[in-house]
Amino acid sequence: HQFPAMMRMNSETIITSNKKSNYFETIMEEDLLPIDERDDGYRLSPLGYHIGQLPVDVRLGKMIILGAIFQCIDPIVTIAACLSNKSPFVIPLYETEAATQAKLSLASDTRSDHIAMLRAYEYWASKSEYEAKAFARKYFLSHNTLQTLKFTRLQFLDQLTVSGLLKSNTRAFMNANANSENIALIKAIICAGLYPHVCRIRMVKKGARFTTSDGLKVNIHPSSVNANQKQFASNWLVYHERVKSPQLFVVETTMVSPVSLVLFGGKLNITETKRSASISVDDWIKLEVTERETMYLLEKLKNNLDSLLLQIIEQPQEEIDAKQAELIQSTASLLKSEILVDSTI
C-alpha cells in the first residue's frame, strides 16, 4: 500500500511547501526556517523560500544552500543526494565484516558515514561504466542507487542555478568548489544541516555511551563507521535519523568538532566565572574555552556569519564582495583548528 505523497513527507517539508500557497498560518522550527511576522500573518524568510524550492526535506535543503555559499557545493549536493535516497552501501547477510571494512576504508580517518558516501560516489563517478560496476561490487555498493544519486545531484544543481545561488558558467562553478577539499568545512556544513540531531559521547569503563539532545540513550547503528569505536577525538556526533530495531539506534553519523557546533548550531550563551569561561549551545552543549578573548571572537564570528548568510540569500544574484569572501575563507580555515574542549560541567 502506497501512502499519499503528503503523508510520506515530513512535517517541516509539508509546511515549507504549502507556505508558498498560504495554506498555513504557522510554521515549525523557527530557528531552522526563520520567518517574518506581518500584520496579515506570516511569510517565508528568504532562506525558507530557497529551501522550499529544492525537492528535498528542510534540513538537507539548508545543507545544500550552505554548501553553495561556502564554496563546497559538489560534495555537499552528493551527500544530500545520498541522504534523500537510500544508502548506496549494501551489506550482504554473509559478508557483513567485508562490507564494514570496505566502508571504513572509504571513510578513512574522517569518522564519517557521510564522507564515506561522498568518496564512494566520487570514485564511482570518475570511472568508465565497466570500471564503475567493478568498483561497486568491490566496495559493496549498489550501482543502480549510485545512478539515481547522479540524477538527484543534477536536480539540486539545476535548482540552485535557477535560484541564483549557483552561477552556470565554468569559472563560477570552479569557484563554487574552491573549498571542496576542506573536509572540516564539509563536516561543519553536515552539522549545520542535521542539527539538532546531535549525540553527546561519554566514555565509561565499558566503552562509549551516547545521549541525544532530547535526553535519549541510543546506540550507533552497526552499519556506521563509528560503531564499535574505542576512542573519539571529539565528544560530539551528528546523525541523520533514529531507528528502533529493537534497540534505539542513530543511523549515518559524523563526528563533528566543537567549533562546528558553535558556529552552525543553535543559540549561544556565554558563562563566566573567575576560574573559567564556557559557551553553551541551546543550553545543552556546554564547551569550555581556553581563552576568554576567543569566546567573544567566536560569538562575533557567528553573528557576522548569520548576517552574511542573510545578505547572500536575500540577494543571490549579487557577486560576493572581498569582505564577504574573506569571512567565508576565514571560517573555513578556523574549522580546521580545535579551540574548544568539552566541558566537565
Side-chain angles (χ1 to χ4, degrees):
H1 177 70
Q2 185 82 352
F3 288 103
M6 182 168 281
M7 292 181 69
R8 286 184 274 113
M9 297 168 69
N10 69 41
S11 58
E12 295 165 356
T13 304
I14 293 170
I15 290 173
T16 309
S17 299
N18 283 291
K19 282 298 295 180
K20 290 177 283 186
S21 302
N22 295 320
Y23 288 142
F24 285 78
E25 293 302 314
T26 58
I27 195 165
M28 296 172 65
E29 301 284 356
E30 292 187 32
D31 54 342
L32 187 63
L33 285 175
I35 53 177
D36 297 321
E37 188 171 0
R38 298 292 183 89
D39 293 338
D40 58 350
Y42 294 94
R43 70 176 178 85
L44 280 177
S45 71
L47 176 58
Y49 175 79
H50 285 301
I51 290 175
Q53 302 299 306
L54 291 164
V56 70
D57 77 34
V58 166
R59 289 187 173 88
L60 300 185
K62 181 180 179 183
M63 189 189 299
I64 291 169
I65 290 170
L66 289 174
I69 292 170
F70 281 91
Q71 299 174 302
C72 53
I73 189 58
D74 220 36
I76 292 298
V77 294
T78 299
I79 292 166
C82 290
L83 296 181
S84 63
N85 291 281
K86 64 181 180 180
S87 172
F89 289 98
V90 178
I91 303 179
L93 183 61
Y94 298 106
E95 295 184 273
T96 303
E97 182 60 28
T100 299
Q101 290 303 315
K103 189 175 183 181
L104 282 167
S105 70
L106 289 169
S108 185
D109 60 351
T110 65
R111 303 296 287 272
S112 170
D113 291 314
H114 305 103
I115 300 300
M117 292 175 184
L118 168 64
R119 288 175 172 168
Y121 177 84
E122 287 179 337
Y123 292 149
W124 172 85
S126 69
K127 299 180 182 300
S128 68
E129 184 172 0
Y130 175 81
E131 291 174 330
K133 288 181 178 179
F135 174 81
R137 287 193 297 271
K138 180 179 179 180
Y139 284 89
F140 299 90
L141 299 162
S142 166
H143 183 73
N144 289 339
T145 298
L146 288 163
Q147 288 179 315
T148 301
L149 298 182
K150 186 176 182 179
F151 174 75
T152 305
R153 289 179 77 261
L154 292 175
Q155 280 188 302
F156 293 162
L157 292 170
D158 285 346
Q159 190 55 55
L160 284 171
T161 303
V162 169
S163 71
L165 288 167
L166 183 64
K167 307 300 185 290
S168 58
N169 63 74
T170 303
R171 181 179 177 184
F173 191 77
M174 289 176 65
N175 289 337
N177 283 292
N179 293 319
S180 288
E181 300 299 319
N182 187 336
I183 296 297
L185 176 61
I186 293 168
K187 290 171 71 174
I189 293 174
I190 293 168
C191 174
L194 298 183
Y195 189 89
H197 287 186
V198 181
C199 279
R200 171 79 153 105
I201 307 168
R202 292 187 184 277
M203 300 304 298
V204 296
K205 288 183 178 180
K206 294 183 178 180
R209 295 291 181 266
F210 307 93
T211 307
T212 64
S213 58
D214 50 353
L216 293 176
K217 306 296 183 185
V218 296
N219 295 295
I220 305 297
H221 195 273
S223 65
S224 172
V225 299
N226 287 307
N228 303 314
Q229 295 287 352
K230 305 301 182 185
Q231 294 181 325
F232 292 87
S234 169
N235 286 342
W236 306 97
L237 293 173
V238 292
Y239 62 92
H240 183 218
E241 58 186 359
R242 297 191 296 228
V243 297
K244 193 167 186 178
S245 62
Q247 299 179 63
L248 189 59
F249 290 104
V250 288
V251 179
E252 289 161 354
T253 66
T254 285
M255 187 174 67
V256 295
S257 71
V259 176
S260 298
L261 291 164
V262 169
L263 296 182
F264 293 102
K267 183 179 179 181
L268 298 185
N269 183 46
I270 290 177
T271 303
E272 288 188 273
T273 66
K274 290 182 179 180
R275 294 184 177 181
S276 65
S278 66
I279 295 178
S280 64
V281 184
D282 286 335
D283 296 323
W284 177 68
I285 299 167
K286 294 182 172 64
L287 306 162
E288 287 185 352
V289 183
T290 53
E291 296 181 11
R292 293 176 190 240
E293 183 182 357
T294 299
M295 179 171 61
Y296 290 107
L297 287 173
L298 284 171
E299 182 185 39
K300 184 178 180 181
L301 177 58
K302 181 178 175 65
N303 291 336
N304 288 342
L305 280 174
D306 289 344
S307 298
L308 169 66
L309 298 180
L310 183 60
Q311 290 172 28
I312 294 174
I313 290 165
E314 285 185 331
Q315 299 176 317
Q317 304 297 339
E318 296 292 324
E319 293 290 334
I320 294 176
D321 62 34
K323 188 175 181 180
Q324 292 172 329
E326 183 180 0
L327 180 57
I328 289 171
Q329 292 308 316
S330 296
T331 303
S333 298
L334 175 64
L335 286 163
K336 292 182 176 180
S337 68
E338 287 299 328
I339 296 172
L340 305 178
V341 296
D342 292 302
S343 175
T344 57
I345 296 174

